[in-house]
């Protein structure tokens, strides 16, 4: 009886096609997973180093499973990108919903990336965020973020008011070319998933003074960071090798003295790069 069923199965072209398709699909799916083995995912957490699992570590895990894996069950998992951020539902598999999370280069403990996941307080579970690009003639001003709940805004008019209120430089004639006042908030958010919303306005004289002050402060911070990084490099590149060759300290003492300095230097390098980027965007 078994052999008869087996012959009947293989004599059915439709079933044979399904079987062949399944094998081919499974083969390429396995190859894709192998190729993803060298990719990484960045998970950020406030006041702590980044968590950097491989892509395969999380490929089939839902939001709920990821939160449990890292003992964050009482927090929300947020997708962050260059255009928007949003909470991810408990039963969603983030790496399937957001394939751009796969990073080809491994981030450092304190660096960031264009696309990443973050652990946030539960209050963020219903909040959406859009990154708005100010369009001002005199300056290139950094993006700023507006946060809202779709239940609280209904139309483009509501969102434009939110943008206008959140732009912290004194200005007038706020407007946008990204949507119409009558557009629904849901449609605007869908559009904003692929491009930054633009906000046009005219800066007041007070704003120009504030921008100059910000540039000066950022420059001073960056100069201080540069000198500090140089000092750390001298310690690591000159003093550490010199002391290692001497008999002044044993291996355990050397480790105690120098073990954290590379991490500190990497953190300040990343911080300095971020400050430099902010400084340049006001010039």
């Amino acid at each position: 009886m078994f052999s008869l069923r087996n012959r009947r199965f293989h004599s059915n072209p439709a079933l044979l096609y399904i079987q062949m398709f399944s094998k081919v699909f499974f083969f390429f799916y396995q190859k894709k997973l192998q190729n993803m083995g060298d990719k990484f995912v960045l998970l950020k957490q406030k006041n702590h180093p980044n968590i950097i699992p491989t892509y395969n570590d999380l490929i089939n895990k839902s939001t709920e499973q990821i939160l449990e894996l890292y003992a964050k069950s009482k927090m929300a998992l947020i997708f962050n990108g260059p255009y928007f951020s949003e909470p991810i539902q408990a039963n969603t598999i983030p790496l399937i919903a957001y394939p751009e999370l796969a990073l080809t280069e491994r981030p450092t403990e304190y660096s960031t990336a264009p696309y990443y996941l973050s652990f946030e307080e539960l209050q963020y579970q219903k909040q959406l965020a859009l990154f708005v690009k100010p369009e001002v003639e005199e300056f290139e001003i950094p993006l700023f973020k507006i946060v809202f709940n779709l239940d609280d805004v209904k139309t483009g008019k509501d969102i434009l008011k939110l943008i206008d209120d959140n732009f912290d430089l004194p200005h007038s004639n706020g407007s946008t070319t990204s949507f119409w006042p009558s557009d629904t908030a849901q449609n605007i958010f869908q559009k904003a998933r692929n491009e930054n919303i633009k906000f046009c306005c005219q800066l007041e004289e007070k704003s120009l003074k504030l921008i100059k002050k910000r540039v000066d402060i950022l420059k001073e911070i960056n100069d201080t960071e540069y000198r500090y990084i140089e000092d750390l490099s001298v310690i690591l590149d000159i003093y550490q090798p010199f002391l290692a060759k001497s008999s002044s300290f044993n291996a355990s003492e050397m480790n105690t003295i120098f073990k954290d300095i590379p991490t500190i230097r990497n953190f300040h390098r990343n911080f300095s790069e971020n400050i430099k980027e902010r400084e340049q965007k006001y010039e």
Side-chain angles (χ1 to χ4, degrees):
M1 184 179 293
F2 176 80
S3 60
L4 177 61
R5 288 180 179 176
N6 198 39
R7 285 196 298 272
R8 288 176 62 189
F9 176 82
H10 286 289
S11 65
N12 188 321
L15 293 177
L16 182 61
Y17 175 79
I18 292 172
Q19 185 186 46
M20 292 176 61
F21 178 80
S22 299
K23 288 182 178 179
V24 171
F25 175 81
F26 182 75
F27 172 78
F28 282 105
Y29 180 72
Q30 290 294 105
K31 292 290 289 182
K32 181 178 180 180
L33 288 183
Q34 291 174 7
N35 293 336
M36 288 297 185
D38 295 332
K39 295 185 183 294
F40 304 91
V41 180
L42 175 60
L43 290 91
K44 296 185 75 68
Q45 47 185 353
K46 289 182 180 178
N47 304 320
H48 290 86
N50 295 330
I51 300 172
I52 312 168
T54 66
Y55 190 91
N56 284 349
D57 289 338
L58 304 181
I59 180 60
N60 290 318
K61 287 185 169 54
S62 66
T63 295
E64 186 176 16
Q65 291 171 325
I66 293 174
L67 292 172
E68 290 177 356
L69 178 64
Y70 296 107
K72 305 287 186 181
S73 298
K74 295 184 179 180
M75 301 190 78
L77 187 65
I78 309 295
F79 168 81
N80 301 272
Y83 309 118
F84 73 98
S85 65
E86 65 178 348
I88 309 175
Q89 298 301 314
N91 60 351
T92 299
I93 299 177
L95 299 194
I96 293 179
Y98 308 97
E100 56 267 50
L101 286 167
L103 305 175
T104 54
E105 295 185 7
R106 191 182 192 280
T108 64
E109 287 186 331
Y110 293 97
S111 65
T112 188
Y115 300 95
Y116 62 92
L117 299 173
S118 63
F119 300 112
E120 304 289 352
E121 301 296 330
L122 283 177
Q123 68 191 58
Y124 293 95
Q125 202 164 22
K126 295 184 178 180
Q127 292 183 340
L128 306 174
L130 301 180
F131 294 94
V132 181
K133 180 175 177 55
E135 295 281 331
V136 180
E137 290 184 4
E138 297 92 340
F139 300 95
E140 182 182 352
I141 297 176
L143 301 174
F144 68 98
K145 182 168 71 172
I146 60 167
V147 180
F148 62 95
N149 189 322
L150 277 177
D151 294 335
D152 299 330
V153 293
K154 303 299 181 183
T155 66
K157 182 179 179 181
D158 299 330
I159 293 180
L160 180 57
K161 184 179 186 307
L162 195 61
I163 294 172
D164 200 41
D165 292 343
N166 278 269
F167 186 56
D168 62 352
L169 291 172
H171 63 281
S172 59
N173 302 325
S175 63
T176 181
T177 58
S178 297
F179 55 83
W180 295 99
S182 58
D183 289 347
T184 65
Q186 187 64 52
N187 287 341
I188 292 170
F189 183 68
Q190 288 302 320
K191 181 179 180 181
R193 297 174 76 89
N194 300 309
E195 62 182 46
N196 292 121
I197 288 178
K198 296 177 181 178
F199 178 64
C200 309
C201 66
Q202 184 174 353
L203 295 180
E204 298 179 6
E205 185 65 29
K206 189 187 300 184
S207 297
L208 304 181
K209 294 179 181 178
L210 286 172
I211 290 174
K212 184 179 184 305
K213 184 177 180 180
R214 287 185 182 183
V215 171
D216 291 341
I217 292 172
L218 289 170
K219 187 176 186 307
E220 183 176 349
I221 293 173
N222 200 43
D223 289 345
T224 303
E225 285 294 313
Y226 177 80
R227 290 193 296 270
Y228 182 56
I229 293 167
E230 286 290 297
D231 291 341
L232 293 176
S233 296
V234 169
I235 293 172
L236 289 176
D237 300 337
I238 298 177
Y239 287 103
Q240 184 180 18
F242 174 78
L243 292 174
K245 293 178 181 178
S246 71
S247 57
S248 302
F249 303 99
N250 59 37
S252 176
E253 291 170 332
M254 288 289 291
N255 183 59
T256 300
I257 295 170
F258 295 103
K259 67 176 181 178
D260 292 327
I261 297 179
T263 301
I264 295 171
R265 182 172 64 173
N266 286 337
F267 172 82
H268 282 275
R269 278 177 172 170
N270 290 320
F271 178 68
S272 179
E273 287 298 318
N274 290 334
I275 291 294
K276 189 181 297 182
E277 182 180 352
R278 298 285 292 188
E279 177 187 344
Q280 290 170 347
K281 285 188 176 180
Y282 274 109
E283 294 181 344

